[in-house]
Amino acid sequence: MSLRKYLTSRVFFLQALSALAIIAVLGYLFMHWLTFTTDHGHEITVPDLRKLTVEQVEEKLDALDLDYVLLDSVDFRNEFPKFSVVEQDPLPGAKVKVGRKVYIKINASGFSSVKIPDLIEKTYREAVPTLKALGLEEGTITYIPNLGKDMVLEMRYKGRNLKVGDRVLKSSKIDLVLGDGKASYVDESVVDSVAIPVEEQVPANEQ
């Protein structure tokens, strides 16, 4: 049988249909296998883990077939309990697959301490950003007579004077004593010009 007759014969069409059917079945089975292995269509909503302890996080995620990774601790935040979750990734409400890891950061046990910077004779505008950059807060502002207007003359914490290098806890409020710019120099070189009379002595031979 020639090739032309074979390609137009009933045997060829039956074999072609059989091959297509086998390919279709294999494709269908492969897609189902792929869906099963990737758990396609089955997603879990990430819970809100903030303010939970590590033990509570582990218990909650185990029930959802999720896992967690503890990345690090962050500077103490007083709005969160000690050693509780402060940040998480993915965020609460996100849709993830079974077995997905949730990355968490834990609140520290307390405020860390920082050194007091040298703010003496700095202006108020320079001092405040420096304090905030170190995690400190601006406290009470007091003015005293001094030529330097808004110049920092003293730093205080809870009523005591601070020296450069002293350590205080982060988020502490630092009181600043500033100059009011109203003081004037006093000329201390002025001397009383009133002359004091000296008694004349009479020569002894004239007595």
Side-chain angles (χ1 to χ4, degrees):
M1 180 183 294
S2 65
L3 178 62
R4 183 175 181 181
K5 287 183 178 181
Y6 174 74
L7 293 177
T8 57
S9 67
R10 183 177 180 180
V11 174
F12 172 77
F13 282 111
L14 290 175
Q15 290 177 343
L17 289 174
S18 299
L20 290 175
I22 293 172
I23 292 173
V25 170
L26 291 176
Y28 177 80
L29 293 175
F30 175 76
M31 292 302 297
H32 271 267
W33 174 82
L34 189 63
T35 300
F36 176 77
T37 55
T38 59
D39 204 20
H40 180 72
H42 180 57
E43 295 182 324
I44 301 172
T45 302
V46 177
D48 190 351
L49 304 176
R50 291 170 296 184
K51 298 188 177 181
L52 299 182
T53 64
V54 174
E55 291 77 12
Q56 291 171 327
V57 167
E58 185 172 2
E59 182 179 348
K60 196 164 191 174
L61 293 183
D62 279 347
L64 297 172
D65 291 328
L66 297 176
D67 200 357
Y68 75 94
V69 175
L70 177 58
L71 293 178
D72 199 1
S73 62
V74 300
D75 288 339
F76 181 71
R77 301 183 189 178
N78 54 12
E79 66 269 27
F80 290 88
K82 295 179 181 179
F83 303 116
S84 68
V85 176
V86 174
E87 299 176 11
Q88 68 176 90
D89 180 34
L91 295 174
K95 302 292 185 179
V96 297
K97 302 289 181 60
V98 171
R100 171 67 186 270
K101 290 183 173 62
V102 180
Y103 298 90
I104 59 175
K105 292 185 179 180
I106 301 298
N107 199 20
S109 60
F111 290 113
S112 58
S113 64
V114 294
K115 287 185 178 181
I116 292 296
D118 187 2
L119 301 180
I120 303 301
E121 296 187 354
K122 303 289 186 182
T123 64
Y124 171 77
R125 289 187 176 182
E126 293 174 312
V128 172
T130 302
L131 291 175
K132 290 184 177 180
L134 293 172
L136 301 172
E137 298 181 13
E138 172 190 345
T140 303
I141 303 299
T142 306
Y143 287 91
I144 61 175
N146 189 276
L147 279 175
K149 182 172 175 58
D150 292 331
M151 179 185 291
V152 177
L153 304 175
E154 296 178 20
M155 300 175 290
R156 297 175 181 171
Y157 176 64
K158 293 185 177 180
R160 68 180 178 88
N161 283 353
L162 293 172
K163 302 189 299 293
V164 176
D166 286 349
R167 302 193 75 93
V168 296
L169 295 178
K170 279 189 176 182
S171 294
S172 297
K173 291 186 177 181
I174 306 302
D175 302 328
L176 299 176
V177 179
L178 308 178
D180 61 6
K182 296 179 181 179
S184 59
Y185 286 113
V186 177
D187 189 357
E188 297 179 353
S189 64
V190 176
V191 181
D192 189 359
S193 59
V194 179
I196 301 176
V198 180
E199 294 183 0
E200 295 182 1
Q201 295 183 355
V202 179
N205 57 2
E206 291 183 2
Q207 294 181 352

